[in-house]
Amino acid sequence: DISVDGCTVETSELLPLGTFMELMITPASDEEAITVETAAVCSVRKESMGVHFLELPAGDKYRLSQVILSLLVSQSVHPNLFS
C-alpha cells in the first residue's frame, strides 16, 4: 500500500505512534532509491505501520509518482497480480 502521501510498512519491529524516521524506498526496477527525508508513524497494527510522508524532495516525489503510476498500469493490465 503506497501513495505519494504515505505507505504501509510491514515489519515485526513496530515503532510508537508519532515516531519520526527517514525512509528509503527502492523501486522494483534498478533505479536509485527514493528518499523520504521525514516520515511519521501514524498508525500501528499487528505486523505493520502506517507512515505519513512529511518531507519528500520534489525530484523524489516525482519519481515516486511515476513508480505508483507504473504499478497502477501494471495492475490494470494484470488485475489478478495484486490480489
Side-chain angles (χ1 to χ4, degrees), residues 10-65:
E10 293 182 4
T11 180
S12 60
E13 308 228 4
L14 300 172
L15 299 173
L17 282 174
T19 300
F20 294 101
M21 69 181 86
E22 180 181 60
L23 191 63
M24 305 294 285
I25 301 169
T26 306
S29 60
D30 291 328
E31 293 179 49
E32 181 180 335
I34 296 167
T35 302
V36 179
E37 293 177 349
T38 308
V41 176
C42 58
S43 66
V44 178
R45 292 178 285 285
K46 186 175 179 180
E47 294 183 1
S48 66
M49 302 180 295
V51 177
H52 181 69
F53 302 154
L54 300 173
E55 293 181 11
L56 182 61
D60 281 340
K61 188 170 189 171
Y62 174 78
R63 289 180 49 229
L64 178 58
S65 70

Side-chain angles (χ1 to χ4, degrees), residues 70-83:
S70 69
L71 289 171
L72 291 171
V73 168
S74 176
Q75 187 176 9
S76 68
V77 172
H78 305 286
N80 296 325
L81 185 63
F82 299 99
S83 309

